[in-house]
Amino acid sequence: MQLLDGKYLSQQIKQEIAVQVADIRSQGGKIPHLVAILVGNNGASETYVASKMKNCEEVGMQSSLFRFNTSVSEAELLDKVRAINEDPGIDGLIVQLPLPDHISADKVMETIHPAKDVDGFHPINIGRMAKGLPAYISATPQGVLEMLSRYQIETAGRHCVVVGRSQIVGLPMSILMQRNTYPGNCTVTLTHSRTQNLAAICRSADILVAALGRPEFITGDMVKDGAVVIDVGLERVPDASKKSGFALKGDVKFDEVAPKAAFITPVPGGVGLMTICSLMQNTLKAARQEIYPKP
Ligand code: GUN
């Protein structure tokens, strides 16, 4: 078994990004600027956003955080998004999910200008990604592709089973893995909560992507010998022995699955760190107008 080491890879990618940002700076160009909007004070979202901002600073990018109380109206939030769309100093915008129930996440995503949508959640970016056109690809699936590619894992002709059909991970992951490119060319099965014989389908996977958000759901008996196992889950599970009061768990029961796998991602230290790198890579693309001209 070989670990797919997100910590090592993300450090390597961050160094590459830092060099590119330094080049822009030395040529007197505008430093890439990522803005995050955070509504409320969900503990996990606070941690993710703080980490996104910190990583931007570490590679020399500019980052700003706008916070709103949970009581903010949808109209006020949309006004802020529109103002950011029109601000030429800002290259990328993310609105951290989940949002409170009274705010439509779909409306917010559709209001972000596609050229600043570095999360790749706008329907235009999802549609362009599905057609294989240049687009912002959502950060987690892009991080998984980067991992497969940097570890030179063969994907063509292999059976990729994705567990979970979320719009931000499972669905785009399934589309990307079937594309006629590398990494891709897989035969893909997208499974979800209504799938029958899930364990048997997982056992037939050469590449298993667990993205359902249920701690340690994938057990040893669900994985074939020699499979590549990608664990996208990151859940807080109560644990009195930890100072924080919780332990971080993935969707895969690591101790059971790792001995069977050819490659496996740890949690933490796996996909999560790659997600942040993808977000910074997308922000760099936005600053360079590689996909769209500035709005
Ligand atoms: N919530 C969980 N993952 C993500 C993500 O990748 N982007 C945003 N904006 N919110 C999230």
Side-chain angles (χ1 to χ4, degrees):
M1 179 275 292
Q2 190 181 349
L3 271 189
L4 295 170
D5 186 346
K7 200 167 173 186
Y8 168 76
L9 276 191
S10 64
Q11 276 162 1
Q12 196 177 31
I13 295 169
K14 274 172 70 178
Q15 276 171 13
E16 293 165 11
I17 298 173
V19 168
Q20 295 179 59
V21 175
D23 277 352
I24 296 175
R25 195 185 294 275
S26 68
Q27 287 161 24
K30 192 191 108 26
I31 300 304
H33 185 185
L34 174 70
V35 165
I37 293 180
L38 178 59
V39 181
N41 40 22
N42 172 297
S45 291
E46 295 261 5
T47 309
Y48 295 147
V49 169
S51 180
K52 289 171 183 177
M53 302 286 99
K54 180 168 158 273
N55 276 275
C56 281
E57 305 288 317
E58 284 169 2
V59 299
M61 286 188 186
Q62 197 183 343
S63 68
S64 312
L65 172 61
F66 293 109
R67 302 193 65 132
F68 291 90
N69 286 329
T70 313
S71 59
V72 65
S73 70
E74 185 179 272
E76 193 183 338
L77 191 62
L78 294 179
D79 280 346
K80 185 68 189 174
V81 170
R82 290 189 195 102
I84 291 171
N85 286 344
E86 284 168 22
D87 183 339
I90 297 169
D91 301 293
L93 167 63
I94 60 165
V95 178
Q96 189 67 22
L97 302 177
L99 289 168
D101 289 345
H102 67 278
I103 298 174
S104 158
D106 280 335
K107 245 190 219 174
V108 173
M109 297 306 137
E110 285 179 36
T111 303
I112 297 174
H113 195 287
K116 296 197 177 185
D117 169 40
V118 287
D119 253 335
F121 293 168
H122 192 287
I124 287 183
N125 278 315
I126 296 172
R128 289 178 63 92
M129 180 268 296
K131 282 177 67 75
L133 296 170
Y136 294 114
I137 294 172
S138 58
T140 299
Q142 185 176 310
V144 173
L145 296 185
E146 185 93 48
M147 217 168 198
L148 293 171
S149 136
R150 291 199 183 219
Y151 276 90
Q152 300 177 333
I153 291 172
E154 187 51 73
T155 56
R158 303 185 84 184
H159 185 204
C160 174
V161 174
V162 180
V163 187
R165 59 178 157 190
S166 71
Q167 290 196 16
I168 64 178
V169 183
L171 177 65
M173 199 71 241
S174 68
I175 295 170
L176 291 161
M177 292 301 279
Q178 59 75 45
R179 293 197 304 184
N180 185 7
T181 183
Y182 177 77
N185 278 311
C186 284
T187 303
V188 178
T189 303
L190 178 58
T191 68
H192 46 77
S193 53
R194 304 290 285 269
T195 296
Q196 293 183 353
N197 304 320
L198 179 63
I201 296 171
C202 289
R203 268 194 300 276
S204 74
D206 301 307
I207 301 172
L208 181 63
V209 182
L212 70 159
R214 285 181 53 188
E216 301 188 317
F217 181 85
I218 304 287
T219 46
D221 58 314
M222 296 169 79
V223 177
K224 138 167 117 178
D225 282 332
V228 177
V229 180
I230 309 285
D231 188 350
V232 178
L234 187 67
E235 290 94 36
R236 293 176 167 203
V237 176
D239 184 339
S241 73
K242 303 270 184 205
K243 211 168 96 191
S244 60
F246 61 83
L248 289 174
K249 296 278 181 200
D251 288 350
V252 174
K253 201 159 191 176
F254 187 89
D255 293 348
E256 278 184 28
V257 172
K260 299 181 86 177
F263 293 91
I264 186 166
T265 59
V267 174
V271 174
L273 299 166
M274 300 300 292
T275 299
I276 297 183
C277 285
S278 307
L279 187 61
M280 295 190 291
Q281 286 170 326
N282 282 349
T283 305
L284 198 54
K285 284 184 191 163
R288 291 190 171 141
Q289 307 187 56
E290 276 180 28
I291 296 174
Y292 304 100
K294 274 251 156 71

